[in-house]
Amino acid sequence: MLAALHRLPTWLRFALYASVGVLVLAIAESFESGGVGRLTADTASRAMLKWCIPILLAGLGGLFSERASIVNIGLEGMMILGTWFGAWAALEFSPWMGLVFGVLGGALGGLIHAVATVSFGVDHVISGVAINIMAPGVTTFLSSEVFGNRTQSPDVPGLGEVDVPVLAGGTFFGAETPDILGSIADQGVFFVSDLASFARGLVSGIAIFSLIALALVPLSGWFLWKTRAGLQLRSAGEYPLAGESLGVNVIRRMYLGVVVSGALAGLGGAFIAMELTGFYQNGQTGGRGFIGLAALIFGNWRPLGILAAAFLFGYPFGVSLRDLDGQSTHALLLVVSFCLAVVSLWAATARRLVDAVMALVFAVVMFAWYVQTDVAPDWLPNAMPYVIVLLVLVFAAQRLRAPAFDGQIYRRGAT
Amino acid sequence: MNNRMRSASLALAAPLASLLLAFLLSALVLVLVGSNPLVAFGDMLEYGSRLEIVIDMLNRATPLYLSGIAAAIGFRMNLFNIGVEGQYQLAMFVAAVVGGALALPGFLHLLLILVVAMIVGGLWSGLAGLLKVTRGVNEVIGTIMLNFIAIGGIIAALIGRFRDGEISTNSGTKLIAESGWMPNLNGFVEAFTRDIKGRQLSGMLVVAVLVGIAYHLTINRSRFGFDLRASGLNPMAARSGGVPPKRMVVVAMVLSGAAAGLVGMVDLVSRYHRYDNNFSPGLGFAGIAVALLGRHHPVGVAFAALLFAFMDSSSSILQVTGSASPEIVIIMQGVILLTAVITYEYVNQIRQREETKMAALATAGGAA
Amino acid sequence: MVLAIELIDITKRFPGVLANDRVNLRVELGEIHAIVGENGAGKSTLMKILYGMQPPDEGKMLVNGTEVDFKSPTEAIEAGIGMVHQHVMLADNLTVLENVILGSEPTKSFGRIDFESAAQHLREVSHAYGLDIEPNDLVETLEVGERQRVEIIKVLFRGAKILILDEPTAVLVPQEVEQLHHNLRELKAQGSTILVINHKLPEVLDIADTITVLRQGRTVGEVKASDVTAGDLAELMVGSELPSPETTESTVTDDVALSLRGVTVLNEEDRPVVDDVDLVIHRGEIVGIAGVEGNGQGELIGAIMGTEHVETGTLELMGQDITKWSVRQRREAGVGLVPQDRHEEGLLLTAPLWENAALGHQTQRPYAKGWWIDRAASRAHTQTIRKRFGVKTPNVDVAAHALSGGNQQKLIIGREMTADPKILVLAHPTRGIDVGAQASVWQKIRDARADGLATMLISADLEELIGLSDTILVMLRGKLVAKLDPANVTPRQLGSYMTGAAIETDGNGSADGGAE
């Protein structure tokens, strides 16, 4: 059966996984006393999509850098540069220029990282930490000089939102179109309506900025796996000496990877300022650069994997925004417990008994928590992504495959 | 001897060069935004040399130093403890709760608070070490995740339960009884200078100095320190040399976390005496900067901590005089750090090349 | 006649070393030309110069009659020269095709790689030369021999007519060597010129038409392969003062220093990599372990040192059961190790020499005093090692990376031998060091043996193994399959035991007569 799954096209396979996920969510929420369908609501999926974009962009940023062997802990700092430069240019010129300057601000951070690590051979983590320390200083300084306020900017315009025609009732050349998913969702059929509602959230009220970010997923894959520069970049991340012995300018490819990495993180920062909050604020990245790094690992250094991870991390946020009483988040405890039970079963069949027992213990704890309480505390959605990351690493770190030269320092001609 | 002088001057040249570069760069930035850098730096120097501000600087340098030592312990073993931030906040929170709940006679109370903080920091950090050796979770990612879990999860989950109920507006934990307060060093300083107005020099300074000495003796002089450094330089060779690699990782992380646990203590036992929203965040990352700038050397880290603390405490005058934005010092700190790590690496490479040449000459001479 | 390659008076200096001293080389079009010489004779440096990886300090290079001055490998590739490096330069996580086309990718619009035409070209090249390989396989799934074929295809894919192969047989088993030689002859038949670096003389005589001999950075002769014997070549390579690792009369005693009984070590897939090994080493005895690399020697060392988990069996040191002891306990009890890769396992490269001397003995005097490291005594003791073992260094505070390989090795051997070991494990003690250091290391091993040291010697240098050992055991697929007397075994015979060929013909495979 698994083999049959793997014969499907990747996008279809992922869509199938997502449907199974929605089914689990729908079942889980049906146990809640006042089950109001928040987990599968279009508001939840719409918010998830929005909140996952910065993580996605940071993750893709990490992908470009680490595929070229440079670990980029500095994503957070590059993202911070993106928030300020994006907000400033959006205010000063136009939202589109905000996007451009967000990219440039992040790329500047990436360039610094590249100079330190690639040209001078500074340890990647050290350079990244230095950038993370410097970036908030730069933005706070600029903010107080330019906005006259060290912590916050005036409101920043975004790029706007669209509904996809036909599926979600958007307009098509001025003509109203039907809202197919919306009408299915209104039928209230178990699972089918849940699926439609969830899908509708992904195609309605979608920020134009998000569309651009999502387009970068296949684009990154195309660039890295189908083009000349991409191949050379990946070879630098696996075994730079191979490229050098064939006359490839490995250093240039590493620079390319790290600068693009910064640019993507900066784009993510601009998204936060322009679309998520609508203004620049000190510290508003909130560690998303780090979660992006986690998404990169979770996604096994592949674009679609990163997208899936970003969805997973964005989802609890998305739900919690409309879940003020914490009831739906409470249902997530059951989902997590269920997933851990599946992991336990899977580990047991693979005869990894320690893993199986550990996962089972976690599953039981989660289940006990679920049974003992009626609502989830307000801090849970904030902490959940990190716990998930850690659990995933605990159970899967040894099966993930980082680029072989990742994190090592390359010196030209040092055989 | 001449060579030793040369390498010593090389070692000093690097931080001085980065300092100079940072000054020039931030001066350039100030000129660009229309401030006069000379006036701004002059204001800082003048203000920063007042006794009260010197006290501020020392109170700031103390946790920075402890945080720097925490990071340095990891660095000496090639481990990146990025989690000092979470470790010290969690340690501070638990120590505040324990210290507030108990009242022991005199000195014991204070000691208990410090020990609890060290244990909590050590355990939280050790968890990352454990995940690394048993599950292969890279300690950089592990400690970052544990940071968020500690701050956004554990503290956020528990703070409600331990909030001080007597004052409704207060969001902090219960006030610690005075037996758990650290005596200040004002009397000692005043014996040499004048009365200090409205400031208290934290006794944690003494603790920080003791930690620095302990760090030096343990890492640079003891057998254990040799094992630790060897594991950092070459884990395979250390292993063949009898050093148990996994145990070293966990032990080093625990020690690093224990030092991290003390970082929040200046705020807790000398200033606020409870865990609330007033404490200074960001000391964990600043500690990494200080450790790098001071090259993991106990005295070097102290200089770096004093330098950063001077910038932090003297820059507030810029707000008052309006000669520049105080945030310029954060840029300066970042630039110093970045240029320092680059110049250190560069100088290091030069030195390696020179050593190779020297040894080759010795060989050639011996053969002739 | 135009020569494919002509190098005239090439000189290359490194700090303190004259790697190439007015080297001359003349390679005719369409021949297989071998360059032989000892480690450190300057072969690899010369090839790097020819391939544009390093510029020569002096001298002229002519390719196909025109003078060239390569600034990078790219220029050498353009001139039709390709290099197959000693360590295969392939990225495991990329496909064969990706590895081959890297740097010369055929592209379509937007920088897209034209994978179809690339794969087509690759298939053509590999068919033309009989080097079959599937373009879309991941390199990590390939065997050593296949990887080397990919390396050769890489070069041919770029249209190289002159191939340089740097020690291509170092990692190959004999069957793979045969296959490689077959491929090379095929290439020659199709008009390629081939330059092979090797120091395994029988292989050189088998494949080469012409042989150039280098010694200590100089050309000492060019001969036709048909005119010389291996003996002639060896004499050319090492000059007259051929150092020999012969030991004198037996010093073997009856005291058992180390004994292994039924020791088995499993790998990650639970297969035995050390399989039921019985082994006894007496005081004053050198037991040599022969074997093709990767037959469990590393794991056997690990079992003795305590870094590998011993699944079944027992180890006894001077009559004490040490099976459950930690590495440190064994170190303190007198188990010494000279590891096979000194950079990977033996040294702290950036630490001073005295700390490197202490490594492995840091819990014992003179290095330690109670819980503390005795820095003064450590330095003084390192000075003693420096003098007694002839470690050439300005002082004991320089970092270990600054020393040459031979001096690093002398330091390691010194620290192990001065620590009063009960048993010393020597893995490839003279690998990659110059001739002078080699002779001095051999002398130290002989001296220690005379003083009653029990030694286990693992080496790929069969002359060394035969010359020094009192007993030779052959290790094959984790088992000790034969026990030989070094007094009446030749390298050739030993080689056939190592590959398993002799054992099949010889039943129990015992040419006994040694220690027991």
Side-chain angles (χ1 to χ4, degrees), chain A residues 37 56 58 82 85 109 132 187 191 241 285 324 334 344 375 380 386 414:
Chain A
L56 169 70
F85 280 97
N132 286 342
Q187 300 298 313
F191 181 52
L241 219 49
T285 52
L324 301 176
L334 184 63
S344 170
V375 292
L380 188 64
Y386 306 104

Side-chain angles (χ1 to χ4, degrees), chain B residues 1-25:
Chain B
M1 224 55 244
N2 196 13
N3 279 318
R4 199 165 292 176
M5 289 273 289
R6 203 180 136 69
S7 75
S9 59
L10 261 178
L12 268 181
L16 287 179
S18 52
L19 208 62
L20 191 70
L21 193 63
F23 266 102
L24 288 177
L25 257 169

Side-chain angles (χ1 to χ4, degrees), chain A residues 120 145 150 355 379 394 411, chain B residues 135 140 157 325 327 345 349:
Chain A
F120 286 96
E145 287 289 337
R150 66 187 300 248
D355 285 19
W379 53 267
V394 162
R411 292 204 170 85
Chain B
R135 317 296 307 188
V140 174
S325 301
E327 288 71 33
E345 191 56 47
Q349 283 165 19

Side-chain angles (χ1 to χ4, degrees), chain C residues 25-65:
Chain C
L25 178 69
R26 297 160 56 85
V27 182
E28 280 174 28
L29 217 57
E31 70 165 346
I32 298 181
H33 193 117
I35 299 179
V36 300
E38 284 214 300
N39 279 325
K43 298 166 296 184
S44 290
T45 306
L46 191 65
M47 291 307 105
K48 281 180 183 164
I49 290 171
L50 181 55
Y51 189 57
M53 289 168 87
Q54 280 164 355
D57 294 328
E58 287 160 32
K60 254 192 345 185
M61 295 200 285
L62 282 78
V63 174
N64 298 322

Side-chain angles (χ1 to χ4, degrees), chain B residues 4 217-218 220-224 226-227 229-231 233-244 247 348 351-353 355-364 366-367, chain C residues 15-16 305 307-308 327-328 331-332 337 343-348 350-351 355 358-363 368 370-373 375 392-395 397-399 401-403 407:
Chain B
R4 199 165 292 176
L217 291 177
T218 313
N220 294 332
R221 291 288 182 266
S222 78
R223 259 170 50 182
F224 169 79
F226 185 94
D227 286 358
R229 285 182 292 122
S231 308
L233 292 173
N234 185 345
M236 290 268 286
R239 183 167 180 235
S240 305
V243 184
R247 197 192 306 162
N348 204 15
R351 204 161 42 196
Q352 287 197 2
R353 239 175 310 179
E355 266 185 341
T356 310
K357 222 181 283 173
M358 234 165 65
L361 283 176
T363 312
Chain C
M305 295 309 299
T307 52
E308 292 280 351
V327 183
R328 174 144 292 164
R331 280 284 193 178
E332 287 171 351
L337 169 70
H343 286 187
E344 203 167 281
E345 246 191 299
L347 294 169
L348 311 173
T350 52
E355 289 196 343
L359 184 65
H361 313 285
Q362 65 262 40
T363 55
W371 290 102
W372 306 101
I373 295 285
R375 292 155 68 95
K392 283 172 193 155
T393 171
N395 55 58
D397 285 302
V398 300
H401 69 79
L403 267 54
N407 283 310

